[in-house]
Amino acid sequence: MKRRAPSGRFGPVFLGWLAVAALPAWGDEVSQRAEAIVRVQLVETGSAVRVVHGGGVVKVKPARGGILVDGKRVGDVWRPARPAAFGGFAVDGRRVRGRLEVRRTAGGISVVNRVGLEAYVAGTLGREVYPSWHPETLKAQAVVTRTYVLYEMMRNATQSFDVGAGTGSQVYGGLDAETPSVLKAARATRGQYLAYRSAPILAVFHSASGGRTAASDEVWGESLPYLVSVEVENEEDSPDTYWRASVSGTTLGRALAPVGVEVGAVREFRVIERSASGRAVRLQVRGKKGSEVIEARALRTALGASVIRSTLFEIKPSEDGFIIVGSGHGHGVGMSQWGAQAMAQGGARYRKILSSFYPGTRLMEGFAQ
């Protein structure tokens, strides 16, 4: 899951200004209490989407000067009034709680789900970690998920949405992600978030660290006091503890060309700079057409994050190219999910897990309910 780089710090703030409204219940509870609303962009497209609501299944698509709902022009904004029989709406198969808004944009249409904070946490938690994981791991991730979206709500208050529904933000599954274990963890931590100087922190996380997390300045060039490098033990259960990728010099040269590195078939490839946590920062690439120094992140972009799973790697020459041997998965900043799971299995409670990965922060109770 990709995380955005920091974009400035927040000092002490009063969080009650965030929009609140009474929403339908989440899980099997009935609650009419006001809570913060998260605006999740489910889809942005130039083509059609299928929406299920109280009036049935409709096809919604952009048209000149507005939006068409089953061929009928409805203006620039469409908000279905009644939810479907399951208590919410569905957009291209993704069932969500709350309310729905389709808005005409320059590139087509944007579909935004306005959903209560706690429903958002429940609908995201089950997509970011395994619901079968230790209850304390689920609680830690629930707090992190809630904190991350609160930070983004403040950062994007003047924008048309707060977060996306994919890996560019947090993966939001909606109603179908609400398993019993997920709901239990979300309820157990209801309203809790991590703060530094009274404001929600940039609670980034990743799959596995490879033994040590990275500080924020290593990855994004900005130092945040709670995103420092910490040692992580017992991640061996992670499928990404050790990984390797083989690539020929010709294939590597072709992959690098679209990111602006046109050296031809690569003959020499090595790490020339590492960060404090041992991650590759800059690489030397020599090929038939010349030599260049590139960022290690450019290699992940060129070959894909599923191939180069982190920048914690070594490069070894092979008969027809190179073998890249690495450890961990993701940018490495913040909480390691597999590290958190190991801590929970070792007896650590979620508060201890959070303080270990985000030192100097404070766990706040009862956000703006």
Side-chain angles (χ1 to χ4, degrees):
M1 131 183 98
K2 183 179 179 181
R3 288 289 162 259
R4 295 179 184 175
S7 59
R9 301 176 179 83
F10 293 98
V13 294
F14 174 64
L15 302 177
W17 61 268
L18 290 171
V20 295
L23 284 183
W26 58 284
D28 57 3
E29 295 179 343
V30 176
S31 170
Q32 296 301 318
R33 288 183 297 175
E35 65 175 332
I37 300 301
V38 183
R39 301 168 300 159
V40 188
Q41 186 182 64
L42 303 178
V43 180
E44 184 175 22
T45 180
S47 57
V49 296
R50 287 169 55 86
V51 175
V52 180
H53 66 119
V57 183
V58 295
K59 183 178 181 180
V60 184
K61 65 179 184 179
R64 179 171 295 184
I67 297 169
L68 294 180
V69 178
D70 273 353
K72 181 180 179 181
R73 194 177 301 274
V74 296
D76 290 334
V77 181
W78 179 62
R79 301 182 183 92
R82 293 187 296 113
F86 59 83
F89 302 90
V91 179
D92 286 345
R94 190 197 320 249
R95 301 194 306 161
V96 298
R97 298 187 182 277
R99 296 169 183 167
L100 209 64
E101 177 180 282
V102 183
R103 186 175 294 274
R104 186 72 167 92
T105 65
I109 55 174
S110 171
V111 184
V112 173
N113 177 205
R114 295 175 60 86
V115 63
L117 173 61
E118 297 303 326
Y120 171 82
V121 171
T124 301
L125 179 56
R127 291 293 183 267
E128 288 290 1
V129 290
Y130 297 106
S132 61
W133 271 9
H134 196 285
E136 295 301 308
T137 311
L138 297 183
K139 291 177 189 176
Q141 183 68 54
V143 173
V144 168
T145 294
R146 186 179 296 107
T147 304
Y148 178 84
V149 77
L150 289 175
Y151 179 97
E152 291 294 273
M153 288 167 73
M154 291 193 303
R155 193 171 82 105
N156 297 312
T158 61
Q159 305 302 312
S160 58
F161 62 93
D162 301 310
V163 289
T167 56
S169 296
Q170 298 186 114
V171 180
Y172 175 57
L175 193 149
D176 293 322
E178 296 179 4
T179 68
S181 61
V182 161
L183 289 171
K184 186 175 182 180
R187 290 171 181 144
T189 62
R190 186 180 182 98
Q192 295 181 354
Y193 65 97
L194 292 169
Y196 183 80
R197 294 182 178 175
S198 303
I201 68 168
L202 177 63
V204 290
F205 55 96
H206 58 281
S207 178
S209 71
R212 175 169 287 276
T213 67
S216 60
D217 59 345
E218 295 180 43
V219 178
W220 296 310
E222 181 176 351
S223 178
L224 295 175
Y226 51 81
L227 293 179
V228 296
S229 179
V230 300
E231 186 176 357
V232 182
E233 298 179 345
N234 304 319
E235 287 181 318
E236 289 78 9
D237 287 343
S238 166
D240 301 311
T241 297
Y242 301 106
W243 53 266
R244 59 187 285 149
S246 298
V247 59
S248 70
T250 300
T251 299
L252 180 58
R254 289 173 179 168
L256 289 172
V259 297
V261 183
E262 299 183 4
V263 296
V266 178
R267 297 171 174 174
E268 181 182 348
F269 190 38
R270 61 192 178 93
V271 178
I272 60 172
E273 182 183 345
R274 292 189 179 276
S275 69
S277 66
R279 288 165 169 78
V281 175
R282 295 195 304 157
L283 312 172
Q284 178 78 55
V285 184
R286 295 184 187 276
K288 283 186 175 181
K289 298 179 181 179
S291 174
E292 286 197 35
V293 173
I294 68 170
E295 298 290 319
R297 285 178 291 177
L299 180 67
R300 292 195 77 201
T301 300
L303 295 179
S306 62
V307 176
I308 307 301
R309 303 177 198 179
S310 75
T311 55
L312 187 59
F313 59 72
E314 300 279 353
I315 301 172
K316 301 180 179 180
S318 65
E319 288 186 4
D320 65 342
F322 307 91
I323 297 174
I324 302 167
V325 181
S327 184
H329 195 173
H331 51 61
V333 184
M335 186 177 75
S336 159
Q337 293 170 312
W338 281 98
Q341 172 71 348
M343 289 184 67
Q345 290 175 327
R349 304 296 293 272
Y350 77 98
R351 292 173 182 264
K352 174 63 176 176
I353 294 171
L354 294 171
S355 64
S356 297
F357 286 108
Y358 306 101
T361 62
R362 180 181 176 187
L363 184 62
M364 308 291 283
E365 304 277 349
F367 171 78
Q369 296 294 327

